[in-house]
Short mmCIF file of all heavy atoms in Angstrom, two decimals:
data_model
loop_
_atom_site.label_atom_id
_atom_site.label_comp_id
_atom_site.label_asym_id
_atom_site.label_seq_id
_atom_site.Cartn_x
_atom_site.Cartn_y
_atom_site.Cartn_z
N CYS A 258 131.81 23.09 91.25
CA CYS A 258 130.32 22.96 90.99
C CYS A 258 129.57 23.70 91.99
O CYS A 258 128.30 23.60 92.05
CB CYS A 258 129.82 21.54 90.85
SG CYS A 258 130.66 20.56 89.60
N TYR A 259 130.22 24.30 93.00
CA TYR A 259 129.48 25.02 94.16
C TYR A 259 128.42 25.95 93.62
O TYR A 259 127.31 25.97 94.02
CB TYR A 259 130.50 25.68 95.03
CG TYR A 259 129.84 26.44 96.13
CD1 TYR A 259 129.20 25.88 97.14
CD2 TYR A 259 129.98 27.91 96.07
CE1 TYR A 259 128.61 26.63 98.25
CE2 TYR A 259 129.42 28.65 97.15
CZ TYR A 259 128.76 28.05 98.19
OH TYR A 259 128.16 28.78 99.15
N ARG A 260 128.85 26.90 92.73
CA ARG A 260 127.89 28.05 92.37
C ARG A 260 126.74 27.41 91.59
O ARG A 260 125.67 27.97 91.90
CB ARG A 260 128.73 29.02 91.59
CG ARG A 260 127.89 30.22 91.05
CD ARG A 260 128.73 31.26 90.25
NE ARG A 260 129.70 31.84 91.12
CZ ARG A 260 130.61 32.67 90.70
NH1 ARG A 260 130.64 33.09 89.46
NH2 ARG A 260 131.51 33.23 91.56
N LYS A 261 127.01 26.56 90.68
CA LYS A 261 125.92 25.96 89.94
C LYS A 261 124.78 25.42 90.80
O LYS A 261 123.59 25.60 90.67
CB LYS A 261 126.53 24.81 89.01
CG LYS A 261 125.40 24.21 88.21
CD LYS A 261 125.85 23.15 87.30
CE LYS A 261 126.30 21.81 88.10
NZ LYS A 261 126.69 20.69 87.25
N PHE A 262 125.21 24.62 91.81
CA PHE A 262 124.18 23.90 92.74
C PHE A 262 123.54 24.87 93.73
O PHE A 262 122.40 24.83 93.92
CB PHE A 262 124.96 22.73 93.49
CG PHE A 262 125.17 21.44 92.60
CD1 PHE A 262 126.45 21.13 92.38
CD2 PHE A 262 124.08 20.83 92.08
CE1 PHE A 262 126.61 19.96 91.54
CE2 PHE A 262 124.27 19.55 91.31
CZ PHE A 262 125.54 19.23 91.04
N LYS A 263 124.37 25.82 94.10
CA LYS A 263 123.82 26.78 95.06
C LYS A 263 122.61 27.57 94.33
O LYS A 263 121.55 27.89 94.94
CB LYS A 263 124.89 27.78 95.59
CG LYS A 263 124.41 28.68 96.64
CD LYS A 263 125.45 29.52 97.28
CE LYS A 263 124.87 30.56 98.36
NZ LYS A 263 125.95 31.41 98.83
N GLU A 264 123.10 28.16 93.17
CA GLU A 264 121.95 28.83 92.45
C GLU A 264 120.66 28.15 92.11
O GLU A 264 119.58 28.67 92.15
CB GLU A 264 122.60 29.34 91.09
CG GLU A 264 123.79 30.42 91.35
CD GLU A 264 124.42 30.96 90.11
OE1 GLU A 264 124.06 30.18 89.03
OE2 GLU A 264 125.20 31.86 90.14
N LYS A 265 120.88 26.83 92.01
CA LYS A 265 119.69 26.03 91.62
C LYS A 265 118.94 25.46 92.74
O LYS A 265 117.63 25.49 92.65
CB LYS A 265 120.19 24.79 90.70
CG LYS A 265 119.03 23.88 90.13
CD LYS A 265 119.57 22.74 89.30
CE LYS A 265 118.44 21.99 88.71
NZ LYS A 265 118.90 20.92 87.80
N TYR A 266 119.54 25.27 93.86
CA TYR A 266 118.86 24.53 94.93
C TYR A 266 118.81 25.23 96.31
O TYR A 266 118.11 24.81 97.13
CB TYR A 266 119.62 23.22 95.10
CG TYR A 266 119.30 22.08 94.08
CD1 TYR A 266 120.43 21.87 93.26
CD2 TYR A 266 118.04 21.59 93.93
CE1 TYR A 266 120.24 20.83 92.22
CE2 TYR A 266 117.82 20.68 92.96
CZ TYR A 266 118.95 20.27 92.02
OH TYR A 266 118.71 19.42 91.04
N ASN A 267 119.57 26.25 96.55
CA ASN A 267 119.71 26.91 97.82
C ASN A 267 118.30 27.47 98.18
O ASN A 267 117.70 28.26 97.48
CB ASN A 267 120.70 27.96 97.85
CG ASN A 267 120.92 28.56 99.28
OD1 ASN A 267 120.97 27.82 100.25
ND2 ASN A 267 121.09 29.92 99.44
N GLY A 268 117.81 27.07 99.36
CA GLY A 268 116.53 27.45 99.76
C GLY A 268 115.44 26.68 99.29
O GLY A 268 114.22 26.80 99.63
N PHE A 269 115.65 25.65 98.49
CA PHE A 269 114.59 24.81 97.87
C PHE A 269 114.51 23.50 98.78
O PHE A 269 115.37 22.79 98.97
CB PHE A 269 114.99 24.38 96.51
CG PHE A 269 113.99 23.30 95.85
CD1 PHE A 269 112.76 23.68 95.40
CD2 PHE A 269 114.43 21.94 95.88
CE1 PHE A 269 111.97 22.73 94.88
CE2 PHE A 269 113.58 21.07 95.23
CZ PHE A 269 112.42 21.45 94.74
N SER A 270 113.16 23.31 99.23
CA SER A 270 112.81 22.08 99.97
C SER A 270 113.68 21.77 101.09
O SER A 270 114.14 20.57 101.39
CB SER A 270 112.76 20.85 98.90
OG SER A 270 112.09 19.76 99.55
N GLY A 271 114.11 22.90 101.86
CA GLY A 271 114.92 22.47 103.03
C GLY A 271 116.44 22.45 102.83
O GLY A 271 117.23 21.97 103.69
N ILE A 272 116.86 22.73 101.68
CA ILE A 272 118.26 22.53 101.26
C ILE A 272 118.95 23.94 101.44
O ILE A 272 118.54 24.93 100.91
CB ILE A 272 118.41 22.21 99.74
CG1 ILE A 272 117.74 20.83 99.57
CG2 ILE A 272 119.93 22.06 99.37
CD1 ILE A 272 117.70 20.37 98.16
N THR A 273 119.98 24.03 102.28
CA THR A 273 120.77 25.26 102.36
C THR A 273 122.26 24.91 102.16
O THR A 273 122.88 23.95 102.53
CB THR A 273 120.61 25.78 103.77
OG1 THR A 273 120.88 24.76 104.87
CG2 THR A 273 119.23 26.25 104.07
N PHE A 274 122.95 25.93 101.48
CA PHE A 274 124.40 25.95 101.30
C PHE A 274 125.12 26.89 102.13
O PHE A 274 124.65 27.99 102.21
CB PHE A 274 124.66 26.34 99.71
CG PHE A 274 124.31 25.25 98.84
CD1 PHE A 274 122.99 24.96 98.43
CD2 PHE A 274 125.28 24.42 98.16
CE1 PHE A 274 122.58 23.95 97.52
CE2 PHE A 274 125.01 23.44 97.23
CZ PHE A 274 123.51 23.25 96.92
N HIS A 275 126.13 26.46 102.72
CA HIS A 275 126.92 27.28 103.76
C HIS A 275 128.25 27.53 103.44
O HIS A 275 129.01 28.23 104.21
CB HIS A 275 126.80 26.57 105.10
CG HIS A 275 125.36 26.27 105.61
ND1 HIS A 275 124.77 27.30 106.42
CD2 HIS A 275 124.59 25.22 105.34
CE1 HIS A 275 123.52 26.73 106.73
NE2 HIS A 275 123.42 25.50 106.11
N GLY A 276 128.81 26.97 102.26
CA GLY A 276 130.10 27.43 101.74
C GLY A 276 131.18 26.65 102.63
O GLY A 276 130.94 25.84 103.26
N ARG A 277 132.42 27.19 102.58
CA ARG A 277 133.59 26.68 103.27
C ARG A 277 133.52 27.25 104.60
O ARG A 277 133.64 28.53 104.80
CB ARG A 277 134.85 26.98 102.43
CG ARG A 277 136.07 26.18 102.97
CD ARG A 277 137.25 26.62 102.04
NE ARG A 277 138.51 25.86 102.51
CZ ARG A 277 138.90 24.73 102.11
NH1 ARG A 277 138.03 24.04 101.34
NH2 ARG A 277 139.96 24.16 102.63
N VAL A 278 133.57 26.38 105.62
CA VAL A 278 133.63 26.77 106.99
C VAL A 278 134.78 26.12 107.76
O VAL A 278 135.40 25.22 107.28
CB VAL A 278 132.22 26.69 107.73
CG1 VAL A 278 131.13 27.34 107.01
CG2 VAL A 278 131.91 25.08 107.80
N SER A 279 135.05 26.52 108.93
CA SER A 279 135.99 25.83 109.73
C SER A 279 135.71 24.41 110.14
O SER A 279 134.49 24.12 110.19
CB SER A 279 136.32 26.61 111.12
OG SER A 279 135.19 26.61 111.95
N GLN A 280 136.82 23.72 110.43
CA GLN A 280 136.66 22.30 110.86
C GLN A 280 135.81 22.25 112.16
O GLN A 280 135.02 21.26 112.40
CB GLN A 280 137.94 21.69 111.03
CG GLN A 280 137.89 20.10 111.20
CD GLN A 280 137.41 19.46 109.96
OE1 GLN A 280 138.11 19.47 108.90
NE2 GLN A 280 136.32 18.79 109.97
N GLU A 281 136.02 23.20 113.07
CA GLU A 281 135.23 23.17 114.37
C GLU A 281 133.83 23.35 114.03
O GLU A 281 132.90 22.68 114.72
CB GLU A 281 135.61 24.37 115.12
CG GLU A 281 135.03 24.53 116.49
CD GLU A 281 135.46 25.65 117.32
OE1 GLU A 281 136.31 26.49 116.82
OE2 GLU A 281 134.97 25.90 118.44
N ILE A 282 133.28 24.16 113.26
CA ILE A 282 131.88 24.28 112.79
C ILE A 282 131.35 22.95 112.23
O ILE A 282 130.33 22.45 112.63
CB ILE A 282 131.60 25.51 111.77
CG1 ILE A 282 131.88 26.77 112.53
CG2 ILE A 282 130.21 25.41 111.27
CD1 ILE A 282 131.91 27.94 111.53
N ILE A 283 132.14 22.37 111.30
CA ILE A 283 131.72 21.06 110.86
C ILE A 283 131.53 20.05 111.81
O ILE A 283 130.55 19.31 111.86
CB ILE A 283 132.80 20.61 109.74
CG1 ILE A 283 132.80 21.50 108.55
CG2 ILE A 283 132.43 19.26 109.30
CD1 ILE A 283 131.58 21.48 107.78
N THR A 284 132.50 19.95 112.79
CA THR A 284 132.39 19.01 113.86
C THR A 284 131.21 19.19 114.73
O THR A 284 130.50 18.21 115.15
CB THR A 284 133.72 18.98 114.67
OG1 THR A 284 134.90 18.78 113.93
CG2 THR A 284 133.64 18.03 115.85
N ASN A 285 130.86 20.38 115.04
CA ASN A 285 129.63 20.79 115.83
C ASN A 285 128.43 20.37 115.17
O ASN A 285 127.49 19.90 115.66
CB ASN A 285 129.63 22.25 116.17
CG ASN A 285 130.68 22.58 117.06
OD1 ASN A 285 131.13 21.78 117.91
ND2 ASN A 285 131.10 23.85 117.12
N GLU A 286 128.39 20.69 113.80
CA GLU A 286 127.07 20.35 112.96
C GLU A 286 126.97 18.91 112.87
O GLU A 286 125.90 18.33 112.78
CB GLU A 286 127.23 21.03 111.60
CG GLU A 286 127.11 22.54 111.61
CD GLU A 286 125.73 23.06 112.14
OE1 GLU A 286 124.68 22.19 111.80
OE2 GLU A 286 125.73 23.82 112.85
N LEU A 287 128.04 18.09 112.77
CA LEU A 287 128.02 16.67 112.66
C LEU A 287 127.36 16.09 113.99
O LEU A 287 126.77 14.88 113.85
CB LEU A 287 129.37 16.05 112.44
CG LEU A 287 130.05 16.28 111.08
CD1 LEU A 287 131.54 15.82 111.01
CD2 LEU A 287 129.23 15.54 110.04
#
Side-chain angles (χ1 to χ4, degrees):
C258 297
Y259 172 72
R260 181 176 296 179
K261 178 183 74 172
F262 284 114
K263 182 178 181 181
E264 290 176 353
K265 184 174 181 179
Y266 291 109
N267 192 40
F269 173 76
S270 191
I272 302 172
T273 53
F274 287 75
H275 301 270
R277 189 176 180 87
V278 300
S279 69
Q280 192 67 64
E281 182 181 1
I282 292 175
I283 294 294
T284 301
N285 289 336
E286 289 298 319
L287 287 172

